[in-house]
């Protein structure tokens, strides 16, 4: 068992976490968790289903009455202690993450700190939930607004950021006063369960956090969307699944927040600082082996610098070292599974079959695990699938444009609207283009745009709502107007 690699072996949890108890599935069934770098099974985890999920929802509902007795300061202190414990166990959490998700250890450590920053941020925001006193229409009335927790939250998260996508939901929910039932991705349940263990150690009361690992995603999800005790569904994942969950949630008019798919363009203009643009595109494209929602999915380069940009990016990409994430020499890990490798291979084949040219990579790495070579493709056109589809892999397609208007039209020609980036030294252009890009987040001469302090989210079919920042609590609060008469 890989717990030999952990300093604290008790962080390796393989049962569900309901009402403060570690539980097996009713059927005693388990599912396998694999190391994507080797294809080997690293753990067997309890395979919970809709019945266990219903029990978790009922426990979450009961726990809220207890949590409302805690003052904002008491909630804040408990969240802060959870943050402290996550950071104190950063290496073990990163080891667990690398083994179940594949990202290189340095990226896993970074994600643990990033995920912890949401807990820290909302420990502080918990003390800043304010109401309003409004002007009254008559002398004998007073109009006030108070903010109250929306209620039990159903949360479903993806495998690509097994800690940060979870704390980005649970931390604001707890700060707002809501309890949570979370279904993590079946590929990466161990990180979620370790987080729950540390939350329990921090003193967060039983029933406030419930983790339901299971392979029966649609059945667990249906319980979360259909059960009237659940007042909000928050989802991070593909747009396809997000639409299913929004439709299911409509039956009980649940509030939803959706962090969905992306198709981020990077616009590089002739006047850009080329080294900064190459470095920014490299980081945005190849972080987590290209498996992030805000990855540079299309790189659009103005014709005057196109060949030089391709040459410089190719030289950087040739330096990646593919390998198992715990190996110090590795700078890029595998994709999550064989389906992901197949999907990336198909996208590359489509482009090459229609006339695009490889400058580096383009092949599956032979041997164990699910590795795809870091790849750069040039001379693409809009007929190719890479112009429209989210790659979710280490492939950098570089398109050419002539004018600013053409670049903006290409960038906006997608149903997605999560993140976009542009590189130019022209301040007027940076304003003009940022305002015309149909995206929730825009990086100007910068692609490392994420933090706990910014409103993360998209428009169009990339989702609704924002996570993090001073806006992040809104998705977990209801506003109540109280009219005080007979004053
Ligand atoms: N916007 C963001 O912040 C963000 C962050 C990370 C990933 N993503 C997106 O997620 C996608 C990749 O992640 P993925 O492959 O895990 O996505 P996915 O939609 O396949 O799965 C996400 C989660 O939903 C669950 N799920 C799948 N079908 C379900 C159903 N019918 N009912 C209930 N739950 C169901 C999965 O088990 C998993 O836990 C990409 O499109 C990526 O852009 C977006
Ligand atoms: O994959 C989606 C993540 O939200 C990206 S980030 O780590 O928040 O930038």
């Amino acid at each position: 068992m890989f717990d030999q690699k952990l300093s604290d072996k008790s962080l390796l949890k393989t049962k569900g976490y309901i009402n403060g108890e570690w539980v097996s599935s009713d059927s005693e069934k388990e599912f396998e968790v694999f190391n994507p770098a080797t294809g080997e099974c690293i753990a067997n985890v309890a395979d919970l289903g809709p019945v266990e999920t219903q029990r978790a929802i009922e426990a979450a509902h009961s726990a809220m009455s207890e949590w409302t007795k805690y003052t904002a300061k008491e909630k804040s202190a408990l969240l802060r202690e959870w943050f402290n414990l996550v950071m104190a166990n950063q290496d073990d959490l990163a080891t667990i993450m690398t083994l179940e998700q594949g990202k290189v250890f340095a990226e896993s450590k970074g994600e643990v700190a990033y995920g912890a920053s949401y807990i820290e941020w909302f420990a502080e925001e918990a003390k800043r939930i304010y109401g309003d006193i409004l002007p009254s229409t008559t002398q004998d009335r007073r109009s006030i607004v108070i903010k109250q927790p929306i209620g039990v939250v159903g949360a479903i998260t993806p495998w690509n950021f097994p800690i940060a996508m979870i704390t980005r939901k649970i931390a604001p929910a707890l700060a707002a006063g809501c309890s949570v039932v979370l279904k993590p991705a079946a590929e990466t349940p161990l990180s979620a369960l370790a987080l729950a263990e540390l939350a329990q150690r921090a003193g967060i009361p039983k029933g406030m956090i419930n983790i339901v690992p299971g392979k029966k995603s649609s059945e667990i999800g249906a319980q979360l969307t259909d059960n009237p005790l659940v007042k909000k569904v928050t989802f991070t994942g593909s747009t396809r699944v997000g639409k299913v969950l929004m439709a299911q949630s409509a039956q009980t008019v649940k509030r939803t927040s959706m962090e969905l798919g992306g198709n981020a363009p990077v616009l590089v203009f002739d006047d850009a600082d080329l080294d900064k643009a190459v470095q920014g595109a490299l980081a945005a494209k190849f972080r987590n082996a290209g498996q992030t929602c805000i990855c540079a999915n299309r790189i659009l380069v103005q014709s005057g610098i196109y060949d030089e940009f391709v040459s410089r990016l190719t030289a950087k990409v040739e330096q990646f070292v593919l390998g198992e994430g715990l190996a110090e020499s590795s700078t890029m890990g595998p994709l999550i599974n064989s389906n992901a490798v197949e999907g990336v291979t198909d996208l590359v084949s489509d482009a090459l079959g229609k006339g695009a040219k490889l400058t580096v990579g383009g092949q599956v790495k032979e041997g164990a695990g699910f590795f795809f070579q870091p790849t750069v493709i040039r001379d693409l056109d809009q007929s190719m699938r890479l112009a429209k589809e989210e790659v979710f892999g280490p492939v950098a397609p570089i398109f050419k444009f002539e004018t600013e208007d053409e670049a903006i039209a290409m960038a906006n020609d997608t149903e997605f609207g999560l993140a976009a980036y542009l590189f130019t030294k022209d301040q007027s252009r940076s304003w003009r283009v940022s305002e015309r890009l149909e995206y929730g987040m825009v990086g100007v001469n910068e692609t490392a745009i994420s933090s706990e302090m910014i409103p993360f989210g998209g428009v169009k079919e990339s989702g609704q709502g924002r996570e993090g920042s001073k806006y992040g609590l809104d998705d977990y609060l209801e506003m109540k107007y109280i009219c005080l008469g007979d004053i």
Side-chain angles (χ1 to χ4, degrees), residues 156-160 165 168 183-185 217-218 221 235-238 241 244-245 259-262 293 390 392 418 456:
I156 300 173
T157 51
W159 48 260
N160 64 336
M165 298 304 97
R168 199 158 82 176
K183 189 210 79 68
S217 299
S218 54
F235 172 72
T236 297
S238 65
V241 175
V244 169
L245 295 172
E259 294 286 352
L260 305 178
C293 57
E390 183 177 36
F392 235 58
L418 192 57
F456 193 104

Side-chain angles (χ1 to χ4, degrees), residues 114 118 160-161 164-165 168 236 287 291-294 392 450 456:
Y114 175 47
Y118 283 101
N160 64 336
F161 286 85
M165 298 304 97
R168 199 158 82 176
T236 297
R287 178 162 69 109
Q291 300 169 116
T292 93
C293 57
I294 59 170
F392 235 58
S450 302
F456 193 104

Side-chain angles (χ1 to χ4, degrees), residues 34 73 98 114 126 136-137 146 204 217 224 226 278 286 325 371 407 409:
F34 295 96
K73 200 160 185 175
T98 290
Y114 175 47
S136 174
T137 53
I146 63 172
I204 291 174
S217 299
L224 293 173
D226 299 355
V278 168
F286 294 99
F371 292 92

